[in-house]
Amino acid sequence: MYRVNNQQKYENNGIFVNAAGGTGKSFILNMLLDTVRSEGKIALAVASSGIAATVLNGGRTAHNMFKIPLMEYNEIRGCSVKKNSELAKLLEMTSIIVWDEIVMANKNTLTALDITLRDILGNERFMGGKVFVCAGDFRQILPVIRGGGKCDELEHCIKSSYMWRDITKLELTENVRLRKGDEKNITFARKLLELGSQKHGPLELEEGFGIQVKTREELVEKVYGDLEENFLHFLFLTTSNHITHK
């Protein structure tokens, strides 16, 4: 919030919040958005996926909000935002940009936004000097590169971007899921965290951990359920339990 109110004091107003599932990332981001808006300032909330965008107050996908063009994985272009357009004026008045699930975004999409903001605002600082808060968890999905492998994913994630070095890194460490609920849910949450933290040897899963399936069709049914009937209902998409909509 100090950066929001004193943007000119920092050469780089980029902040990355590293947060594993259950550490309150969505709560923190929404509290930040609501606080900025309560002061009469403009806060833009975006995410790398449509599902993640529904969790943020006033959230939209980054591609939709900033008119980021569809690019090949190694292509770099600016956003389709014209100077003196309504969107350009909105970006000029914006005090903070919050981008969730940044880990799955190709670093070139951030470059596109960086180029565009510098051009529109006439400011050569990172993101045109705007406060830019991004968040994610490197245990989860990295950028999907068509026909690429692990090296390609690493090469095009945010950690490989020129901007990563100068972004301030913060971390949420207290996992709420480990403090409440029954023992089965706590064990499940702990194992999920270990998936990205194990340094030596394979990760052992207890019998009965998660939902076991025997066929590909059963896997699709367990994960997606009645998706064909409910894909237009965001509550169905954003909750763990399948909800039947009339």
Side-chain angles (χ1 to χ4, degrees):
M1 285 304 301
Y2 183 83
R3 292 188 184 223
V4 170
N5 297 318
N6 301 274
Q7 294 188 12
Q8 301 303 320
K9 290 189 176 183
Y10 292 85
E11 180 63 26
N12 190 321
N13 280 315
I15 297 173
F16 172 74
V17 181
N18 185 26
T23 54
K25 170 169 63 72
S26 298
F27 175 80
I28 291 292
L29 296 182
N30 279 320
M31 182 172 64
L32 177 60
L33 290 166
D34 291 344
T35 301
V36 173
R37 290 165 180 167
S38 70
E39 295 183 355
K41 297 182 175 68
I42 295 176
L44 300 183
V46 301
S48 297
S49 71
I51 299 300
T54 64
V55 180
L56 297 176
N57 296 336
R60 292 164 60 180
T61 63
H63 279 79
N64 178 270
M65 172 69 76
F66 302 123
K67 311 302 179 188
I68 300 174
L70 295 177
M71 301 177 286
E72 291 296 329
Y73 71 92
N74 58 352
E75 185 181 2
I76 298 177
R77 282 191 287 159
C79 301
S80 301
V81 182
K82 296 181 179 179
K83 286 187 176 182
N84 300 321
S85 65
E86 292 300 317
L87 179 54
K89 294 177 183 177
L90 175 64
L91 292 174
E92 289 178 0
M93 295 185 293
T94 296
S95 294
I96 185 173
I97 296 172
V98 173
W99 188 329
D100 194 13
E101 301 300 351
I102 197 76
V103 171
M104 68 170 61
N106 189 313
K107 67 178 183 181
N108 291 344
T109 61
L110 279 80
T111 301
L113 179 59
D114 186 31
I115 292 173
T116 301
L117 288 176
R118 293 184 191 219
D119 180 51
I120 289 176
L121 303 175
N123 188 329
E124 286 304 312
R125 291 192 298 159
F126 172 69
M127 293 297 176
K130 297 294 182 181
V131 178
F132 180 79
V133 177
C134 54
D137 179 10
F138 284 101
R139 293 178 178 86
Q140 300 180 20
I141 299 174
L142 292 177
V144 176
I145 306 300
R146 183 170 55 185
K150 182 183 294 185
C151 292
D152 298 292
E153 294 175 354
L154 294 175
E155 182 183 352
H156 289 86
C157 78
I158 185 176
K159 279 192 174 183
S160 298
S161 171
Y162 63 85
M163 60 188 76
W164 180 253
R165 180 186 61 185
D166 297 322
I167 290 179
T168 301
K169 286 83 171 177
L170 303 177
E171 186 170 9
L172 297 177
T173 57
E174 184 174 350
N175 197 305
V176 178
R177 294 175 184 170
L178 300 181
R179 293 193 289 107
K180 64 180 181 180
D182 56 42
E183 185 60 32
K184 186 176 181 180
N185 288 335
I186 292 176
T187 300
F188 184 77
R190 185 180 294 112
K191 287 298 181 182
L192 285 181
L193 292 177
E194 290 178 2
L195 286 174
S197 304
Q198 288 290 94
K199 296 181 179 180
H200 306 287
L203 177 66
E204 295 183 3
L205 301 178
E206 292 84 358
E207 184 178 354
F209 179 82
I211 300 175
Q212 299 183 11
V213 297
K214 296 182 179 180
T215 65
R216 185 173 184 173
E217 290 71 22
E218 188 180 359
L219 173 63
V220 172
E221 175 62 27
K222 291 291 186 181
V223 174
Y224 296 105
D226 301 325
L227 181 62
E228 291 185 359
E229 298 179 10
N230 296 298
F231 70 92
L232 293 178
H233 301 285
F234 79 92
L235 285 178
F236 176 87
L237 299 173
T238 56
T239 54
S240 57
N241 297 318
H242 294 317
I243 301 174
T244 301
H245 295 271
K246 303 296 182 181

